[in-house]
C-alpha cells in the first residue's frame, strides 16, 4: 500500500516513508491510496482475538513494507499490561444515561493517563523502523505542538529511544497544571520542552513552518538529521487509533451489547479532528457506523463547519477547562476533505491556502451533502461541561474528565434533537485527575484546596476513585524544563536545542 499527499496526489510514498517524513514537502498530509475492506465475517474473526491480535492484523494491512516480525515486535512492546494496567488497554464502561445506553471507551489507562498513549506507545517503534528503512543512519528529530496531552505522551514514548531527539512546544497558559507538570518533569536524555507565548494554534503553525523551512531542513541534513512528527499529522500516529474503534465494536459484540452487523454511533471530543477521523477510516473499512458525533468546547469552529460548510478560524479563542480541545485549526480535517472530494488534491490545496491566507474557506455543495449525511456537530461550554460531570457522577456514579463530559453532553444533544437511540461509543480521552480542579468543583460544593495535588487527594477522598499511579508520582518529581519563548523564536530554539549553528 502506498500513500498520497492531500495537496499533490502525484506525491507517492511507501508507508515507512510517510511515517518517517511525517508531512509532505508542500505541506500536505499523507493518506492511503486505498483502504483495506473488512467483511462482517472479518470483524467476527477480529472479535476472537485480544487487542494486540486486532492491532497486528489492522496495522499489517496498512504497513505493507513492514515485516510480520516488525509489526508483532512493535505491537507487543507497546500494549503491555504493565503499561496499561490490563491485557485490554482500551476497556469499555457501560452506562445507562437517562433512557439511553452509552458504551464509554476508556482510552486513558496508559502511562500518561490520556488517549494519546494508545498511539504514542507504538509510534516510536514504527518511526525508528521507518527511518531505518528509508533514511538509514539519520537521527530523527521529533517536533511536537501540543494542547496538553500529546506532548507528555510523545515525551514518554520517545524518551531515550536511540536515534531520536524530541522537542515539545506547548502554550504557556493553555494547559492544565497537571499537564504542565507532566511535561516539565519529563525524564530522558533526548527530550526538550518549551512553552510558547501564544495558543496551541500558534504552536502548531510554528511547527509546520519549521517542517517546511528549506534552510533549517538543509542544516539538519548537514548534521545527519531529519524532521519527523508525533502529532496526528503523522500517519503513524493516526493509524493505531483506527484499531481501538474496531476493538470496541468487537468487545461490544462479545458482551452481547450489540447484534451481528448492528450499526453504532461514535461520539468523540475533538479539537484537531484526528480521533474522530480514525473512526471515519474504520467505517470506510467496513465497521458498521451510523453517525459521527463531533463534540467541541466553546472553540466551536468544527461545529460551525459541520453545520454551515464554512471553516472560519477568525474568531475569539477561548481558554477552557477542556484545554486539549482549545484549537481553531483542525489539521486532520484536511484528510477528511481529501476523501470526501474523492482525492481532489487541487480543491483541498485551494481550501488550505485560503485558510492560511484569508482565515476561512467554504466547501462545495457536494462535500457539504456528504458531511450532512455522516456527521453531527455540537458544542458544550464550561458551565455545561461541569454540570455534565456532576450529573454523571451523581446519577450514574461514573467520574469523567472535562473532555469526555463534552462528548457526553453533545451526544445527549444529538439524542434530544434526533431521537436516535442507536448504540453509541463515547470516546473517553483522559483521566479526571488530569483536570482535578474542574472535576472536583463539579462534584463537590466544598471550598477547593489551593494546591493541585491537594485537589487530587480531595477528589480521591470524595469519589473513592483511585488516582492513576503515574499522576500520583508527579507530586515529588523534580522540574527540569521551565524555558519559554516567543512564537517567532521557535526556529532558533529548535536549532539551539540541537546544537546546530
Amino acid at each position: 500500500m502506498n500513500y498520497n499527499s492531500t495537496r499533490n496526489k502525484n506525491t507517492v510514498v511507501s508507508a515507512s516513508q510517510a511515517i518517517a517524513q511525517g508531512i509532505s514537502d508542500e505541506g500536505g498530509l499523507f493518506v492511503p491510496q486505498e483502504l483495506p475492506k473488512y467483511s462482517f465475517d472479518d470483524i467476527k474473526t477480529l472479535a476472537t482475538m485480544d487487542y494486540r491480535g486486532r492491532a497486528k492484523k489492522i496495522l499489517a494491512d496498512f504497513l505493507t513494507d513492514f515485516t510480520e516480525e516488525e509489526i508483532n515486535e512493535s505491537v507487543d512492546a507497546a500494549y503491555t499490561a504493565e503499561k496499561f494496567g490490563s491485557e485490554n488497554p482500551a476497556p469499555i464502561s457501560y452506562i445507562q444515561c437517562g433512557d439511553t445506553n452509552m458504551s464509554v471507551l476508556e482510552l486513558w489507562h496508559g502511562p500518561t493517563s490520556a488517549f494519546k498513549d494508545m498511539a504514542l506507545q507504538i509510534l516510536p517503534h514504527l518511526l525508528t523502523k521507518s527511518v531505518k528503512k528509508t533514511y538509514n543512519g539519520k537521527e530523527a528529530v521529533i517536533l511536537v505542538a501540543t494542547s496538553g496531552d500529546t506532548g507528555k505522551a510523545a515525551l514518554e514514548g520517545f524518551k531515550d529511544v536511540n536515534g531520536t531527539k524530541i522537542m515539545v512546544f506547548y502554550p504557556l497558559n493553555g494547559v492544565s497544571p497537571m499537564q504542565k507538570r507532566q511535561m516539565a518533569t519529563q525524564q530522558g536524555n533526548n527530550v526538550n520542552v518549551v512553552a510558547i507565548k501564544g495558543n496551541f494554534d500558534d504552536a502548531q503553525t510554528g511547527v509546520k513552518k519549521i517542517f517546511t523551512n528549506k534552510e533549517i531542513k538543509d542544516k539538519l541534513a548537514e548534521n545527519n538529521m531529519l524532521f519527523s512528527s508525533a502529532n496526528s499529522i503523522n500517519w503513524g500516529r493516526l493509524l493505531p487509533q483506527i484499531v481501538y474503534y474496531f476493538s470496541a465494536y468487537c468487545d461490544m459484540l462479545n458482551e452481547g451489547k450489540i447484534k451481528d452487523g448492528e450499526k453504532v454511533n461514535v461520539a468523540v471530543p475533538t479539537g484537531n479532528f484526528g480521533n474522530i477521523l480514525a473512526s471515519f477510516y474504520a467505517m470506510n473499512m467496513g465497521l458498521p457506523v451510523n453517525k459521527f458525533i463531533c463534540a467541541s468546547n466553546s472553540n466551536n469552529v468544527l461545529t460551525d463547519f459541520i453545520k454551515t460548510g464554512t471553516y472560519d478560524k477568525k474568531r475569539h479563542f477561548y481558554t477552557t477547562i477542556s484545554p486539549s480541545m482549545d484549537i481553531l485549526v483542525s489539521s486532520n480535517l484536511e484528510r477528511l476533505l481529501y476523501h470526501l472530494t474523492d482525492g481532489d488534491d487541487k480543491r483541498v490545496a485551494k481550501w488550505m491556502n485560503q485558510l492560511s491566507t484569508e482565515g476561512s474557506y467554504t466547501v462545495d455543495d457536494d462535500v457539504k451533502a456528504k458531511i450532512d449525511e455522516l456527521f453531527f456537530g455540537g458544542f458544550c461550554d464550561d458551565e455545561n461541561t461541569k454540570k455534565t460531570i456532576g450529573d454523571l457522577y451523581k446519577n450514574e456514579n461514573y467520574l469523567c474528565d472535562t473532555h469526555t463530559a463534552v462528548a457526553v453532553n453533545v451526544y445527549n444533544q444529538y439524542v434530544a434533537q434526533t431521537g436516535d437511540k442507536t448504540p453509541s461509543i463515547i470516546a473517553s480521552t483522559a483521566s479526571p485527575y488530569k483536570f482535578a480542579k474542574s472535576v472536583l468543583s463539579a462534584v463537590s460544593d466544598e471550598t477547593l484546596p489551593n494546591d493541585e495535588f491537594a485537589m487530587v487527594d480531595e477528589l480521591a477522598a470524595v469519589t473513592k476513585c483511585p488516582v492513576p499511579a503515574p499522576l500520583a508520582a508527579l507530586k515529588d518529581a523534580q522540574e527540569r524544563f521551565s524555558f519559554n519563548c516567543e512564537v517567532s523564536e521557535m526556529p532558533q530554539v529548535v536549532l539551539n536545542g540541537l546544537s546546530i549553528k
Side-chain angles (χ1 to χ4, degrees), residues 124 127-128 139-143 154-168 186-193 480-481 497-498:
L127 181 64
T128 51
E139 186 171 43
V141 177
I142 316 299
L143 292 188
L155 290 163
E156 190 65 25
F158 279 95
K159 71 175 182 182
D160 294 327
V161 172
N162 289 334
T164 69
K165 293 183 185 296
I166 178 167
M167 180 174 288
V168 169
Q186 178 64 48
Q187 296 299 304
N189 294 320
N190 63 336
V191 306
N192 203 343
V193 179
R480 294 181 65 201
F481 303 104
L498 298 173

Side-chain angles (χ1 to χ4, degrees), residues 13 18 34 39 68 87 158 173 187 213 228 297 299 301 304 321 341 384 406-407 417 421 424 449 456 474:
V13 300
E34 58 185 355
S39 67
E68 181 180 2
E87 293 299 325
F158 279 95
N173 298 311
Q187 296 299 304
N213 185 310
S228 191
N297 62 18
N299 295 295
V301 63
D304 289 348
I321 62 173
T341 59
N384 283 302
V406 169
Q417 291 180 32
K421 300 294 181 63
S424 295
V456 168
L474 288 173

Side-chain angles (χ1 to χ4, degrees), residues 174-185:
V175 300
S176 77
M178 187 66 79
Q179 289 173 316
K180 183 176 181 178
R181 185 158 181 82
Q182 280 187 301
M183 290 185 282
T185 59

Side-chain angles (χ1 to χ4, degrees), residues 72-104:
N72 290 348
E73 180 181 285
S74 299
V75 170
D76 289 338
Y79 301 118
T80 64
E82 180 182 7
K83 289 179 178 178
F84 285 90
S86 76
E87 293 299 325
N88 183 1
I92 298 175
S93 288
Y94 298 102
I95 299 172
Q96 179 77 28
C97 188
D99 60 349
T100 59
N101 294 313
M102 296 189 303
S103 300
V104 181

Side-chain angles (χ1 to χ4, degrees), residues 30 88 99 102 149 151-152 156 189 216 255 265 267 281 304-305 319 361 403 405 409 442 448 460 462 466 469 471 497:
F30 292 116
N88 183 1
D99 60 349
M102 296 189 303
D149 287 333
K152 172 60 179 178
E156 190 65 25
N189 294 320
I216 296 178
E255 292 285 337
N265 290 331
Y281 277 121
D304 289 348
F305 171 72
T319 300
Y361 62 86
H403 303 76
N409 184 283
L448 296 180
V462 169
L471 297 183

Side-chain angles (χ1 to χ4, degrees), residues 120 196 204 245 322 446:
L120 283 164
I196 64 143
Q204 181 168 252
Y245 289 107
S322 46
E446 300 297 322

